[in-house]
Amino acid sequence: MAEKNIERKQHIDFNLLFESLQNEDIGKFREEFLELHPYDQASFFKDLDKEIQTKVYHYLSPEEMAGIFENIEIEDEDYKEVLSQMTPTYAAEMLANMHADDAVDVLNELSKDQVASYLAIMDNEAAQEIKELLHYEEYTAGSIMTTEFISIAANQTIRSAMYILKREAPTAETIYYLFVVDDEKRLVGVISLRDLIVSDDDQMVEEIMNERVYSVGVGEDQEEVARKMKDYNFLALPVVDFQNHLLGIITVDDVMDVMEEEASDDYSKLAAVSGIDSFDRGPLSAARKRLPWLIILLFLGMITANLMGRFEQTLDQVAILAVFIPLIAGMAGNTGTQALAVAVRGLATGDLEKEEKSKLVVREAGTGLITGTTCGMLVMIIVYLWKGDIFLGMLVGISILLTLIVATLAGALVPLIMHRLKVDPAVASGPFITTVNDIISLLIYLGMATIFMGYLIG
Amino acid sequence: MAEKNIERKQHIDFNLLFESLQNEDIGKFREEFLELHPYDQASFFKDLDKEIQTKVYHYLSPEEMAGIFENIEIEDEDYKEVLSQMTPTYAAEMLANMHADDAVDVLNELSKDQVASYLAIMDNEAAQEIKELLHYEEYTAGSIMTTEFISIAANQTIRSAMYILKREAPTAETIYYLFVVDDEKRLVGVISLRDLIVSDDDQMVEEIMNERVYSVGVGEDQEEVARKMKDYNFLALPVVDFQNHLLGIITVDDVMDVMEEEASDDYSKLAAVSGIDSFDRGPLSAARKRLPWLIILLFLGMITANLMGRFEQTLDQVAILAVFIPLIAGMAGNTGTQALAVAVRGLATGDLEKEEKSKLVVREAGTGLITGTTCGMLVMIIVYLWKGDIFLGMLVGISILLTLIVATLAGALVPLIMHRLKVDPAVASGPFITTVNDIISLLIYLGMATIFMGYLIG
């Protein structure tokens, strides 16, 4: 019984909601719908057909609709469609009622003209806040921060700070940290609500505030911000400019979105697909996302084929050589992908910044030597036992040894070089490094075969 | 000037600390060290040599040391070494002073005997809390929750709730949510500190509490917990048993660690490396992590070679066929990895649960048909222009077409089947699916070549 109770409480009856929409029973719909958590509201909303979506915002105020838009993760195209169906005043009022950072996420997807027209009819204060945030480049701390924070002065009492807190609580993005600023709005300290609550009302803010306040620069990479927040277990981080002026704060919920985004991003790059987040699309749009990569890799593959064409004579004389091509190319690809993943992940988590990168390269060379020797010996023995030809065994075994050393190094070096060139190392995707290593490994294998041809046909 | 100021505040002078340790200047070391954020303390500590580490805990109390251990992410082996250097009473006291969930993380790495001996000499209350948590299986909500939460009754006033809050604040893991329970400790509501602060002192808890409280079951997967927390922007989630009894809470900082862990995990599986997080290891331990995969893939590669051996006669007659082997196998591997990544990610983020899986399979078949047709046509034209042989062009082109359809389907189906079999779909790593697709694609290519041999040598 009790178990069922939980189920009922957590599992929302979307059918009931849907019915009330179809029956145009506004009262019942509003009653049920406004009870929901905004995330559930958004989940319900985004699965509706367009004409039913239109009904929903006819039944809701712009304030109520703002909560849905803050929690929706629909594709850019869908944003535009939904927005375009609203009257401009309704849309502008909804945007004004959203947290400024979320409103900016929406506006960033629109054309400059559209943004300008929404801002023009928007409440002035909200428009000002949004305009400030629109300046900042995507993927920086500035782009994910909000300006709705609570700041207090150092020479206040706790009582008066509590008063400000209560007044600002309804609109602030977080009330769990109060940031202390000086007369020129420079960040000088922080008080957690926890400290505030256990303190005496008559104490001064400067007595209990923590002066060792961690902050991030407004231009800092959002991934760096996420890392800091995660390592230090902060719930919010202040964002400052070069003069240490407090510009905004970044809250932990925004950072979780960043973490999810960056993880998906690295993952999809390793697999050479762009943006693998949306599932409601048809085969055509899926193919459109994958084809660019496949065609690049196809041309790289044609280069491999071209290079192999130069060894056609060798292959013609010793056909058995062809049999081991997939094995050698495959091993090169696999070991390269492993080394690549270690390097990319190291750069992403920041573990590699601290360590000298040359150390990584030396280590990868050592790793390649060990894995190459092991796999090379194994292959030599197996091929010898299978084909009874010691020269063929040695040729394949030594090719594996050399290939694994070179491929491991390539896998580590390519992302390091990209990082140095300020290119995101994750774009050195798995399939890309695999194709490069295909070429290297086949040059080694067929080159050696050509040189030592005499032993193979002898 | 101001810029420098920030730098100085945030950049900690580890050299100064290190000097004071070397000079055995306890007073100066403690003064500087205890000023640091626990994460910085841990960063400093874990880079020290073993004998210097020993000094550190001689200078610190078990309570002070607990903060370091809560923030350390050292490898299992290192944990044991550091612990074994401490006297058992010191270690037990330190564990007792850690947040219970963090202490359990440490104890989970030790042998049963060691755990029992630490618990035996530990403060009774702390030992009890830890014992309760040790029951829960790894990767479940129970294993990451803490029992240090604040619960209140529904029929209390806000004033008395505030009193409990102030009393419990120093030891509770979070004070930002108060959980409301009935007489039998069943979860009936939640109040955020935000609500508490803006409420009137004389109001009753039940008047302002939110009855629609989200919770997770104690046995629920930690990834599911992380997803819920991220989607709903919670800072803490209550954990309940089947009867809805409140057992503990999970806080957002633990969930961020889970997200990082799971992302790294999926990523390293796609690249076929186990645990790519630690960088301070030598080539031997790196090779040990990668070799198991490489050897499995080596044997799969030998199967490919064996299968190709059956086509040796075909290859002997038309050597040019070998030239396109890396291209075809490569394209099969790439497209399979793309489909795999989409499916694994879909299962991981839960997007796929909602949708019928058959829809994904149909879509992937369509995607394979489109990418296959495009790439196949391209290859046919290029090979014809390059080699002037329309039959060879058709053979390679049609092989690419069929290969891409089959490989795309295989990439999507393998993780879906694994998921059905309750195996983590991420273990269907990229290189594994690549090798499987190598085999399929070469069977298609060389099989067709053998059947239509007449046209190729004609």
Side-chain angles (χ1 to χ4, degrees):
Chain A
M1 278 304 287
E3 199 176 337
K4 260 195 175 160
N5 228 334
I6 311 170
E7 274 303 296
R8 211 175 319 140
K9 220 183 299 165
Q10 297 201 1
H11 187 276
I12 301 121
D13 193 353
F14 279 177
N15 285 332
L16 201 89
L17 267 176
F18 190 71
E19 258 171 48
S20 64
L21 267 181
Q22 291 221 300
N23 302 338
E24 311 209 333
D25 186 343
I26 306 187
K28 195 166 165 200
F29 172 74
R30 284 182 54 86
E31 185 189 331
E32 289 290 323
F33 189 74
L34 295 176
E35 268 263 296
L36 298 181
H37 186 286
Y39 175 77
D40 293 324
Q41 293 180 345
S43 303
F44 174 73
F45 180 77
K46 84 176 169 207
D47 287 338
L48 296 174
D49 291 335
K50 296 284 166 245
E51 65 266 40
I52 311 272
Q53 283 186 343
T54 313
K55 271 190 191 171
V56 171
Y57 48 85
H58 282 152
Y59 294 176
L60 298 177
S61 72
E63 290 82 3
E64 289 157 353
M65 199 66 204
I68 299 181
F69 255 67
E70 281 174 356
N71 280 278
I72 226 159
E73 276 178 72
I74 46 177
E75 298 285 294
D76 324 336
E77 288 306 313
D78 294 334
Y79 259 133
K80 288 181 206 164
E81 213 173 316
V82 174
L83 268 177
S84 68
Q85 286 176 348
M86 298 176 175
T87 64
T89 46
Y90 185 100
E93 208 176 326
M94 182 191 76
L95 288 164
N97 273 288
M98 289 172 68
H99 280 300
D101 51 343
D102 295 319
V104 167
D105 287 343
V106 176
L107 291 172
N108 265 330
E109 303 299 334
L110 304 180
S111 73
K112 277 196 175 165
D113 285 348
Q114 284 173 302
V115 173
S117 67
Y118 283 133
L119 290 177
I121 51 177
M122 198 179 285
D123 163 80
N124 213 13
E125 197 188 335
Q128 205 48 50
E129 254 176 45
I130 289 173
K131 267 183 209 156
E132 270 170 38
L133 291 181
L134 274 172
H135 282 311
Y136 301 109
E137 258 184 278
E138 262 197 294
Y139 311 118
T140 62
S143 75
I144 55 168
M145 76 181 185
T146 172
T147 48
E148 291 140 315
F149 57 87
I150 306 181
S151 65
I152 52 176
N155 56 356
Q156 273 185 296
T157 60
I158 297 301
R159 184 177 294 109
S160 72
M162 242 358 220
Y163 174 78
I164 293 181
L165 180 75
K166 286 194 190 193
R167 195 189 58 201
E168 306 274 332
T171 58
E173 177 120 2
T174 182
I175 61 158
Y176 302 129
Y177 293 103
L178 303 179
F179 298 96
V180 187
V181 292
D182 66 13
D183 296 343
E184 286 166 55
K185 302 277 175 217
R186 278 195 295 248
L187 180 66
V188 293
V190 64
I191 295 186
S192 73
L193 184 48
R194 193 183 200 121
D195 298 331
L196 207 63
I197 284 197
V198 297
S199 298
D200 194 15
D201 275 359
D202 294 316
Q203 274 185 294
M204 298 300 282
V205 166
E206 56 199 343
E207 287 174 56
I208 63 159
M209 77 179 187
N210 189 348
E211 286 174 62
R212 197 186 278 274
V213 49
Y214 284 77
S215 61
V216 291
V218 70
E220 211 162 321
D221 189 293
Q222 62 174 8
E223 211 170 347
E224 186 58 39
V225 177
R227 196 185 306 161
K228 207 172 247 181
M229 184 112 55
K230 188 194 134 310
D231 285 343
Y232 290 96
N233 291 343
F234 292 134
L235 296 178
L237 262 177
V239 182
V240 295
D241 65 11
F242 285 130
Q243 279 85 39
N244 205 22
H245 292 118
L246 182 57
L247 300 177
I249 61 164
I250 296 172
T251 48
V252 72
D253 53 309
D254 298 321
V255 155
M256 282 204 279
D257 295 339
V258 169
M259 284 174 71
E260 175 85 10
E261 205 178 284
E262 300 275 354
S264 269
D265 208 40
D266 285 357
Y267 190 83
S268 53
K269 277 173 188 155
L270 187 62
V273 220
S274 45
I276 48 173
D277 304 316
S278 68
F279 280 90
D280 37 348
R281 299 304 178 99
L284 205 67
S285 82
R288 209 179 325 145
K289 278 184 180 172
R290 298 183 205 173
L291 264 176
W293 276 106
L294 286 176
I295 290 172
I296 292 170
L297 295 166
L298 182 77
F299 278 96
L300 285 173
M302 290 309 289
I303 294 174
T304 319
N306 192 331
L307 282 170
M308 281 190 67
R310 298 174 190 221
F311 297 101
E312 202 179 326
Q313 220 188 336
T314 308
L315 288 165
D316 202 18
Q317 286 179 48
V318 195
I320 186 82
L321 286 176
V323 165
F324 297 101
I325 287 175
L327 173 73
I328 292 172
M331 291 300 285
N334 295 333
T335 195
T337 305
Q338 289 181 330
L340 170 89
V342 170
V344 167
R345 205 63 207 163
L347 290 167
T349 59
D351 289 348
L352 258 184
E353 310 268 17
K354 301 166 205 161
E355 222 191 353
E356 308 95 304
K357 276 151 197 155
S358 57
K359 228 169 118 187
L360 177 81
V361 174
V362 170
R363 196 197 65 172
E364 288 298 317
T367 308
L369 188 66
I370 298 169
T371 55
T373 310
T374 315
C375 293
M377 299 273 274
L378 250 169
V379 164
M380 195 175 77
I381 294 166
I382 295 172
V383 171
Y384 173 60
L385 292 177
W386 179 25
K387 294 284 171 190
D389 183 342
I390 187 67
F391 286 113
L392 185 66
M394 278 172 63
L395 174 70
V396 180
I398 293 172
S399 295
I400 291 272
L401 164 63
L402 295 179
T403 285
L404 257 57
I405 297 174
V406 177
T408 308
L409 272 174
L413 278 174
V414 169
L416 287 181
I417 292 167
M418 289 191 155
H419 186 70
R420 173 72 54 90
L421 299 175
K422 306 265 175 214
V423 180
D424 179 358
V427 300
S429 71
F432 174 75
I433 207 90
T434 297
T435 309
V436 170
N437 279 334
D438 270 6
I439 297 176
I440 297 172
S441 63
L442 292 174
L443 282 179
I444 292 174
Y445 174 54
L446 293 175
M448 288 205 339
T450 308
I451 295 167
F452 298 108
M453 180 67 89
Y455 296 96
L456 290 167
I457 49 175
Chain B
M1 277 304 286
E3 200 175 336
K4 258 196 175 160
N5 227 334
I6 311 172
E7 272 304 297
R8 211 175 318 142
K9 219 184 301 167
Q10 298 201 2
H11 188 275
I12 301 122
D13 194 353
F14 279 175
N15 285 333
L16 201 90
L17 266 175
F18 190 70
E19 259 172 46
S20 64
L21 266 181
Q22 290 221 301
N23 301 339
E24 312 210 333
D25 186 343
I26 305 187
K28 194 167 166 199
F29 172 75
R30 284 181 55 85
E31 186 189 327
E32 289 289 324
F33 189 76
L34 295 176
E35 268 262 297
L36 297 181
H37 186 286
Y39 176 76
D40 293 324
Q41 294 180 346
S43 303
F44 174 73
F45 179 77
K46 82 175 171 209
D47 287 338
L48 296 175
D49 291 334
K50 295 286 166 243
E51 65 266 40
I52 311 270
Q53 284 187 340
T54 313
K55 270 190 192 169
V56 172
Y57 49 85
H58 282 154
Y59 294 175
L60 297 177
S61 72
E63 291 81 3
E64 288 158 355
M65 198 66 203
I68 299 180
F69 255 67
E70 282 173 356
N71 280 278
I72 226 160
E73 275 179 73
I74 46 177
E75 297 285 293
D76 324 336
E77 287 306 313
D78 294 333
Y79 259 134
K80 288 180 205 164
E81 214 173 315
V82 174
L83 268 176
S84 68
Q85 286 176 347
M86 298 178 177
T87 65
T89 46
Y90 184 100
E93 208 177 325
M94 181 190 77
L95 288 164
N97 273 289
M98 288 171 69
H99 280 300
D101 52 341
D102 294 319
V104 167
D105 287 344
V106 175
L107 290 172
N108 265 330
E109 304 298 336
L110 304 180
S111 73
K112 279 197 173 164
D113 286 348
Q114 284 172 302
V115 173
S117 68
Y118 283 134
L119 290 177
I121 51 178
M122 196 179 285
D123 164 80
N124 213 13
E125 197 187 334
Q128 204 49 48
E129 252 175 45
I130 289 174
K131 267 183 208 156
E132 270 169 38
L133 290 181
L134 274 172
H135 282 311
Y136 301 109
E137 259 184 276
E138 263 196 295
Y139 310 119
T140 62
S143 75
I144 55 168
M145 76 180 184
T146 174
T147 49
E148 290 142 315
F149 56 87
I150 305 181
S151 65
I152 54 176
N155 55 358
Q156 276 184 294
T157 59
I158 297 301
R159 184 177 295 108
S160 71
M162 248 348 227
Y163 175 77
I164 294 180
L165 179 76
K166 286 195 189 192
R167 195 189 58 201
E168 306 274 333
T171 58
E173 179 120 2
T174 181
I175 61 158
Y176 301 129
Y177 292 104
L178 303 178
F179 297 96
V180 187
V181 292
D182 66 14
D183 296 342
E184 288 166 56
K185 302 276 174 217
R186 279 196 294 250
L187 181 67
V188 294
V190 64
I191 295 186
S192 73
L193 185 49
R194 193 183 200 123
D195 298 331
L196 207 62
I197 285 196
V198 297
S199 297
D200 194 16
D201 275 359
D202 293 316
Q203 274 185 293
M204 299 301 283
V205 166
E206 56 199 345
E207 286 173 54
I208 64 159
M209 77 180 185
N210 188 349
E211 287 174 63
R212 197 185 277 273
V213 48
Y214 284 77
S215 60
V216 291
V218 70
E220 210 161 322
D221 189 293
Q222 62 175 7
E223 210 170 347
E224 186 57 40
V225 177
R227 196 185 308 161
K228 208 172 246 180
M229 186 111 55
K230 187 195 135 309
D231 284 344
Y232 290 95
N233 290 343
F234 292 134
L235 296 178
L237 260 177
V239 182
V240 295
D241 65 12
F242 284 130
Q243 278 85 40
N244 205 21
H245 293 120
L246 182 57
L247 300 178
I249 61 163
I250 295 172
T251 48
V252 71
D253 53 310
D254 298 320
V255 156
M256 281 203 279
D257 295 339
V258 168
M259 284 174 73
E260 175 85 12
E261 206 178 282
E262 301 274 354
S264 270
D265 208 40
D266 285 356
Y267 191 82
S268 52
K269 277 174 188 155
L270 187 62
V273 220
S274 44
I276 48 173
D277 305 315
S278 67
F279 281 88
D280 37 348
R281 299 305 177 96
L284 206 66
S285 82
R288 208 178 326 145
K289 278 184 181 173
R290 298 183 205 175
L291 263 176
W293 276 106
L294 286 177
I295 290 172
I296 293 171
L297 295 166
L298 183 76
F299 279 97
L300 284 173
M302 289 309 288
I303 294 174
T304 318
N306 192 331
L307 281 171
M308 282 192 65
R310 300 175 187 219
F311 297 102
E312 202 180 326
Q313 221 187 334
T314 308
L315 289 164
D316 203 19
Q317 285 180 48
V318 195
I320 187 81
L321 287 176
V323 164
F324 296 102
I325 287 175
L327 172 73
I328 292 172
M331 290 301 284
N334 295 333
T335 194
T337 305
Q338 290 181 330
L340 170 89
V342 171
V344 167
R345 204 64 207 161
L347 290 166
T349 58
D351 288 347
L352 258 185
E353 311 268 17
K354 300 167 206 160
E355 222 190 354
E356 307 95 305
K357 278 151 196 156
S358 57
K359 228 168 116 187
L360 177 80
V361 174
V362 171
R363 196 197 64 174
E364 288 299 316
T367 308
L369 188 67
I370 297 170
T371 55
T373 310
T374 315
C375 293
M377 298 273 274
L378 250 169
V379 164
M380 195 176 78
I381 294 165
I382 295 172
V383 172
Y384 174 61
L385 292 178
W386 180 24
K387 294 285 171 189
D389 183 342
I390 186 67
F391 287 113
L392 185 66
M394 278 173 63
L395 175 70
V396 180
I398 294 173
S399 295
I400 290 270
L401 164 63
L402 294 179
T403 285
L404 257 57
I405 296 174
V406 177
T408 308
L409 272 174
L413 279 173
V414 169
L416 287 181
I417 292 168
M418 289 191 155
H419 186 70
R420 172 72 54 91
L421 299 175
K422 307 264 174 214
V423 180
D424 179 0
V427 301
S429 70
F432 175 74
I433 207 90
T434 298
T435 309
V436 170
N437 279 335
D438 269 7
I439 297 177
I440 297 172
S441 63
L442 293 174
L443 281 179
I444 293 174
Y445 175 54
L446 294 175
M448 287 207 339
T450 308
I451 294 168
F452 299 107
M453 180 67 89
Y455 297 96
L456 291 167
I457 50 176

